[in-house]
């Protein structure tokens, strides 16, 4: 119960990796604010699962790419639930195309959610952590941000940008009791990868030493460690959880 009494915000927390993170942090004792963009029912279901663990949970609708919405959401969470001391920047999208065929619009769409949105939520939340003299920021980046991927130049640029942001922000906040880290998942079984063609997923399995895709709970376990007080000396780190597909 490392996180007892602390409030965690998980963006995109109604399904997939985000939902697993919300449940794992609840197991660690945290109360949970779940941000969602479009499906109130799924968000409420995730909240119910958290409440069943004896923690407080509320869902907050917001498109993280929209600054005024972000501002309003964080103010509402503070009012309804208190200061946010653990932030998991998980919301993300893909709009895959080769770079030659990519439109300016799909480039901007991905960058505005996966990089700028995550950065701006963090900007809004950081004062809570500075006031408390304690905080945990965790960005969900991707193996693709480290090794690149055919057809994902927009996504790779955003996720690579998150790694650079992680390291910069870690330096700026270390003396304030705040750690900033990233988790870089490999290929994980969620809605996001359900649209990837079978032959590509088979190739992924063959290129992954562990020989399978990962599970959302395996990402959540890494986040729980980084969020815990025991990880106080870990900052600016990118924790790979990828079955050995990429090692650096
Ligand atoms: P998912 O598609 O199931 O979940 C993404 C969540 O983000 C959804 O709940 C969605 O509603 C939310 N979201 C999207 N745009 C939003 C916006 N503008 N504002 C607020 N919420 C928004 O995908 P999954 O797999 O659970 O992905 C979670 C994170 O993990 C993403 O950042 C993704 O890039 C990253 N990731 C996923 C991998 C995978 O293999 N599934 C691999 C590496 C990273």
């Amino acid at each position: 119960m490392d996180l007892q009494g602390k409030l965690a915000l998980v963006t995109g927390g109604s399904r997939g990796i985000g939902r697993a993170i919300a449940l794992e942090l609840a197991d660690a004792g945290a109360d949970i604010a779940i941000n969602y963009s479009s499906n109130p029912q799924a968000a409420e279901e995730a909240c119910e699962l958290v409440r069943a663990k004896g923690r407080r949970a509320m869902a907050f609708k917001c498109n993280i790419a929209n600054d005024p919405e972000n501002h309003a959401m964080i103010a509402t969470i503070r009012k309804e639930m208190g200061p946010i001391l653990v932030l998991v920047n998980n919301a993300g999208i893909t709009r895959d195309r080769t770079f030659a065929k990519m439109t300016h619009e799909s480039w901007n769409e991905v960058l505005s959610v996966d990089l700028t949105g995550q950065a701006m939520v963090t900007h809004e939340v950081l004062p809570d952590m500075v006031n408390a003299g304690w905080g945990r920021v965790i960005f969900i980046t991707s193996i693709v941000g480290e090794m690149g991927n055919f057809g994902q130049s927009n996504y790779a640029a955003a996720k690579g940008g998150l790694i650079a942001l992680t390291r910069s922000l870690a330096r700026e906040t270390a003396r304030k009791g705040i750690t900033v880290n990233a988790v870089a998942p490999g290929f994980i079984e969620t809605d996001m990868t359900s649209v990837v063609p079978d032959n590509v997923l088979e190739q992924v399995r063959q290129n992954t030493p562990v020989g399978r895709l990962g599970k959302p709970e395996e990402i959540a376990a890494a986040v729980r460690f980084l969020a815990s007080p025991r990880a106080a000396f870990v900052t600016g780190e990118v924790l790979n959880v990828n079955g050995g597909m990429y090692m650096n």
Side-chain angles (χ1 to χ4, degrees):
M1 288 300 207
D2 276 351
L3 297 175
Q4 188 116 39
K6 295 194 164 69
L7 176 64
L9 166 61
V10 183
T11 65
S14 64
R15 70 179 201 207
I17 292 171
R19 189 172 95 150
I21 291 169
L23 297 180
E24 184 75 44
L25 295 181
D27 278 339
D31 294 323
I32 309 291
I34 287 182
N35 153 254
Y36 69 99
S37 59
S38 58
N39 189 339
Q41 201 184 330
E44 192 44 46
E45 278 168 23
C47 286
E48 278 301 322
L49 294 171
V50 170
R51 288 182 203 122
K53 294 174 183 291
R55 315 312 320 167
R56 287 192 303 153
M58 290 177 75
F60 300 89
K61 183 174 164 56
C62 164
N63 168 9
I64 63 154
N66 180 307
D67 270 353
E69 280 188 34
N70 268 336
H71 185 75
M73 172 178 72
I74 301 304
T76 308
I77 295 174
R78 258 186 213 126
K79 195 163 145 252
E80 308 267 336
M81 298 190 82
I84 300 160
L85 298 188
V86 177
L87 171 62
V88 185
N89 285 298
N90 164 80
I93 57 169
T94 50
R95 297 288 182 267
D96 299 349
R97 285 247 99 161
T98 58
F99 190 63
K101 291 184 181 152
M102 190 168 292
T103 61
H104 200 150
E105 190 187 359
S106 69
W107 174 273
N108 277 343
E109 218 180 328
V110 168
L111 269 287
S112 68
V113 177
D114 294 9
L115 180 58
T116 310
Q118 291 206 13
M120 291 304 116
V121 172
T122 307
H123 195 262
E124 290 285 339
V125 170
L126 218 47
D128 284 359
M129 301 185 186
V130 172
N131 283 340
W134 193 92
R136 297 282 184 265
V137 179
I138 297 151
F139 291 101
I140 306 301
T141 174
S142 168
I143 188 172
V144 169
E146 299 176 294
M147 58 185 271
N149 199 20
F150 188 98
Q152 289 200 300
S153 55
N154 50 359
Y155 184 75
K159 295 296 191 179
L162 285 182
I163 292 173
L165 173 62
T166 297
R167 292 177 176 149
S168 303
L169 197 55
R171 290 179 190 279
E172 290 189 16
T173 58
R175 298 289 173 96
K176 298 177 168 68
I178 300 166
T179 67
V180 185
N181 291 288
V183 173
F187 286 76
I188 309 299
E189 284 169 4
T190 67
D191 290 350
M192 187 176 269
T193 44
S194 66
V195 295
V196 177
D198 280 348
N199 62 324
V200 176
L201 290 180
E202 189 45 42
Q203 239 181 333
V204 167
R205 283 186 199 98
Q206 281 172 19
N207 290 330
T208 304
V210 170
R212 62 171 174 84
L213 269 61
K215 300 181 194 323
E217 294 73 20
E218 292 173 315
I219 304 307
V223 170
R224 180 176 180 166
F225 166 65
L226 292 171
S228 77
R230 287 168 299 164
F233 206 51
V234 182
T235 198
E237 183 57 35
V238 181
L239 181 46
N240 288 311
V241 186
N242 63 26
M245 190 180 183
Y246 180 76
M247 303 177 190
N248 61 352

